[in-house]
Amino acid sequence: MKMKLILLLITAGLATAQYNPNVRAGRTSIVHLFEWRWDDIAAECERYLGPNGFGGVQVSPVSENYIITNPWRPWDERYQPVSYKICTRSGNEQQFRNMVAKCNNVGVYIYVDVVMNHMTGYGAGVGTGSTCGSYFNSGARDFPGVPYSNLDFNDGKCRSSTGGIESYSDPYQVRDCQLLGLLDLALEKDYVRGKIAEFLNKLISIGVAGFRLDASKHMWPGDIKAVINRLNNLNTQWFPSGAKPFIYQEVIDLGGEAISASEYFGNGRVTEFKYGAKLGNVIRKWNGEKMVYLRNWGEGWGFMPHDRALVFVDNHDNQRGHGAGGGSILTFFDSRLYKMGIGFMLAHPYGFTRVMSSYRWPRYFVNGKDINDWVGPPSYSDGSTKPVTINADSTCGNDWVCEHRWRQIKNMVIFRNVVDGQTLINWWDNGGNQIAFGRGSKGFIVFNNEDWNMDVNLKTGLPAGTYCDVISGQKEGTRCTGKQISVGIDGSARFQISNTAEDPFVAIHVNAKL
């Protein structure tokens, strides 16, 4: 019995370490406000994210980066660090601190996208083309803003003839050579580990809740672990004593390569890229896929363990056609299917969920490739980012898409909060593309992805009463702005969903009961 108790305590400790998103009780999802300015995020936390139950925000990299002018200010310049100063086109350090405090105060925590695999490889020669004016010389491997010198990079360790990654079947090349010409940091060195940990600990002291580790596949798991082991506990102004930063690592693993996502489980959660790729195939009904196959979604599809997975329908890479998934990835450009995919993700218990919030860009395809996939955020002629403006109907202006503000997605974030901890029950399907399932006695969702109308009576598991469908509308005061669903004394309800409906799915939960 004593040994069992010790094991239970160890397991509980692991569960509350870097795998815990640290969200406030009753909040279950985060949103990626891609390329938003710090001032706009602060405002969005207070006016929208906090009141609607979002748990946190993933923000774009905060470290000073090289300004790329050819093409003009692409989004990926944020992934070209020249120092660890908090200074980007999203704002300066004071604006970042103000954002973190304002968001934390309303229970919406901040997760920073961190680039620790590399420094910029562009601008070879002497340069000060950076967001804070720091001098750097990438050709000489000289970054005095950190400082890093030629001693701190993997140039002599790379096993390829070009210095770049030539074969993804060679794990040494993937982790020791340059990714897309970016200067690969020697993370095995104590000095480099110390500088990165110093940067992350500064962010922790400011009040961030955790980190997305960019390009983790290109770093040795042991090197990442060595950095994580140096991190401080979270700021007790907002978090419990002893709380560890949430860690989730970007590892693209669709199978068939030398590097596996499972190698990184010891460090924290890992991005499950198979999730969006396979869900997109199902929702699009490609390759004979049907929604009935989602019955054993999660580990049953060969995904990583539930408590190690950070899941998403799309992210800033694969919505642009690269970074895993290909054409199956659902995005805001396919809004009807996209909302179904997000609805399923937020209703299903597998993994910790992240919602995407994007900006529009002018897609232009040549030979099946979008040649405008580089386009940066909505900007003025001087390259500064345009503010996120809010329209009277709660949508966003200035070419910001704001999927998280779409009624269907916002209401499903709330749905997930309501059903948190409830098991998946009362699965039903028609053998094809009509499915339904409940989450304990708290919520129920129904999808019609067939080419014909749906009219079925289903056991919901919910208490008797009249419920507001939170997809076609929502509960406002004592009325529904969309469909009403009547649940009988036996917990059953009739669901009628047209195959031509704007959103061919229905969701009800106990907090939307009249």
Side-chain angles (χ1 to χ4, degrees):
M1 180 62 76
K2 187 175 181 181
M3 180 58 71
K4 282 184 178 178
L5 180 60
I6 291 171
L7 286 172
L8 281 170
L9 290 172
I10 291 171
T11 303
L14 285 173
T16 57
Q18 63 265 31
Y19 307 99
N20 181 355
N22 303 306
V23 289
R24 272 195 190 173
R27 302 188 182 217
T28 56
S29 300
I30 63 174
V31 58
H32 183 190
L33 299 183
F34 180 50
E35 285 280 9
W36 281 42
R37 305 181 317 157
W38 309 145
D39 290 349
D40 290 328
I41 294 174
E44 189 73 346
C45 284
E46 294 180 327
R47 72 193 169 203
Y48 197 85
L49 300 178
N52 286 300
F54 287 81
V57 177
Q58 177 182 312
V59 302
S60 293
V62 306
S63 49
E64 181 182 18
N65 60 267
Y66 172 53
I67 295 174
I68 301 175
T69 55
N70 185 23
W72 177 245
R73 305 302 298 269
W75 63 266
D76 65 352
E77 76 166 42
R78 297 292 288 270
Y79 295 85
Q80 318 274 337
V82 301
S83 80
Y84 296 139
K85 295 174 184 174
I86 302 173
C87 185
T88 67
R89 60 183 169 195
S90 286
N92 59 33
E93 180 174 331
Q94 186 52 52
Q95 290 168 314
F96 179 79
R97 287 177 177 271
N98 177 65
M99 174 198 71
V100 172
K102 285 189 172 185
C103 291
N104 283 356
N105 287 340
V106 294
V108 182
Y109 299 140
I110 301 298
Y111 306 86
V112 175
D113 196 350
V114 174
V115 182
M116 58 189 243
N117 173 68
H118 56 261
M119 302 299 281
T120 186
Y122 296 117
V126 177
T128 54
S130 54
T131 45
C132 248
S134 291
Y135 164 89
F136 69 97
N137 185 332
S138 57
R141 309 309 194 245
D142 183 20
F143 295 90
V146 179
Y148 286 140
S149 72
N150 65 329
L151 301 176
D152 301 315
F153 294 90
N154 274 331
D155 295 301
K157 192 178 179 185
C158 172
R159 298 185 178 186
S160 78
S161 60
T162 61
I165 301 168
E166 297 169 357
S167 170
Y168 274 81
S169 64
D170 182 345
Y172 292 92
Q173 280 193 28
V174 174
R175 288 158 168 161
D176 295 336
C177 298
Q178 293 179 10
L179 168 66
L180 302 174
L182 300 163
L183 302 183
D184 203 64
L185 282 165
L187 279 162
E188 68 190 31
K189 296 191 174 183
D190 189 71
Y191 174 77
V192 175
R193 293 172 175 178
K195 297 310 292 184
I196 294 169
E198 179 184 296
F199 170 49
L200 300 188
N201 280 328
K202 178 177 181 176
L203 297 174
I204 289 170
S205 70
I206 290 171
V208 307
F211 306 103
R212 173 196 182 264
L213 304 185
D214 178 67
S216 292
K217 178 179 180 174
H218 300 279
M219 299 179 278
W220 292 95
D223 291 340
I224 295 175
K225 171 66 82 177
V227 173
I228 292 171
N229 286 345
R230 298 184 183 210
L231 298 186
N232 298 331
N233 294 335
L234 298 183
N235 189 325
T236 54
Q237 181 177 348
W238 293 289
F239 301 99
S241 177
K244 302 287 186 185
F246 179 43
I247 302 294
Y248 55 108
Q249 304 153 97
E250 184 207 16
V251 180
I252 299 174
D253 175 14
L254 298 180
E257 289 187 12
I259 293 172
S260 166
S262 62
E263 298 175 52
Y264 295 82
F265 291 167
N267 296 332
R269 291 197 184 234
V270 180
T271 50
E272 180 50 278
F273 276 87
K274 290 193 287 287
Y275 191 103
K278 293 185 179 296
L279 185 60
N281 275 330
V282 172
I283 300 289
R284 293 183 187 279
K285 298 186 279 191
W286 284 2
N287 305 318
E289 297 281 6
K290 303 175 184 178
M291 291 190 78
V292 62
Y293 300 154
L294 299 174
R295 178 190 286 268
N296 66 336
W297 185 248
E299 288 98 333
W301 277 61
F303 297 169
M304 64 186 68
H306 156 77
D307 61 354
R308 292 296 179 268
L310 186 289
V311 301
F312 47 95
V313 170
D314 63 329
N315 79 341
H316 67 281
D317 272 316
N318 61 22
Q319 71 172 195
R320 287 165 170 76
H322 47 85
S328 73
I329 297 299
L330 299 168
T331 74
F332 68 88
F333 287 113
D334 308 297
S335 61
R336 188 172 188 265
L337 299 180
Y338 185 68
K339 286 179 282 185
M340 291 178 68
I342 296 289
F344 178 84
M345 177 183 77
L346 293 172
H348 195 279
Y350 175 80
F352 183 71
T353 50
R354 181 184 65 198
V355 173
M356 184 68 195
S357 193
S358 318
Y359 58 82
R360 290 178 188 84
W361 70 94
R363 293 198 295 179
Y364 187 73
F365 289 92
V366 175
N367 297 323
K369 183 185 185 317
D370 179 6
I371 62 172
N372 282 340
D373 61 1
W374 59 269
V375 173
S379 302
Y380 295 112
S381 58
D382 64 355
S384 61
T385 302
K386 288 183 178 180
V388 179
T389 54
I390 308 300
N391 301 322
D393 63 356
S394 189
T395 60
C396 295
N398 272 348
D399 282 329
W400 298 97
V401 180
C402 297
E403 299 97 310
H404 69 285
R405 279 179 165 261
W406 293 2
R407 180 191 67 248
Q408 302 86 343
I409 293 176
K410 177 262 293 182
N411 283 344
M412 284 307 300
V413 167
I414 295 170
F415 179 102
R416 189 174 189 82
N417 291 342
V418 172
V419 305
D420 186 34
Q422 301 287 305
T423 56
L424 192 155
I425 64 168
N426 292 325
W427 176 277
W428 172 90
D429 62 71
N430 73 335
N433 289 296
Q434 294 176 349
I435 67 167
F437 58 90
R439 293 293 302 279
S441 60
K442 296 290 185 70
F444 195 76
I445 192 163
V446 187
F447 294 88
N448 178 20
N449 199 25
E450 297 284 17
D451 296 327
W452 55 86
N453 294 340
M454 179 182 195
D455 188 350
V456 291
N457 284 285
L458 300 174
K459 184 178 180 181
T460 68
L462 271 60
T466 301
Y467 292 79
C468 298
D469 168 34
V470 298
I471 304 305
S472 60
Q474 58 199 18
K475 179 184 174 184
E476 291 185 1
T478 59
R479 71 183 188 95
C480 300
T481 62
K483 293 180 184 176
Q484 290 187 183
I485 304 294
S486 180
V487 175
I489 196 72
D490 64 348
S492 295
R494 182 182 184 186
F495 295 93
Q496 297 173 294
I497 305 176
S498 168
N499 67 300
T500 60
E502 177 188 354
D503 300 305
F505 64 112
V506 168
I508 56 177
H509 58 75
V510 291
N511 287 7
K513 184 171 179 279
L514 293 181

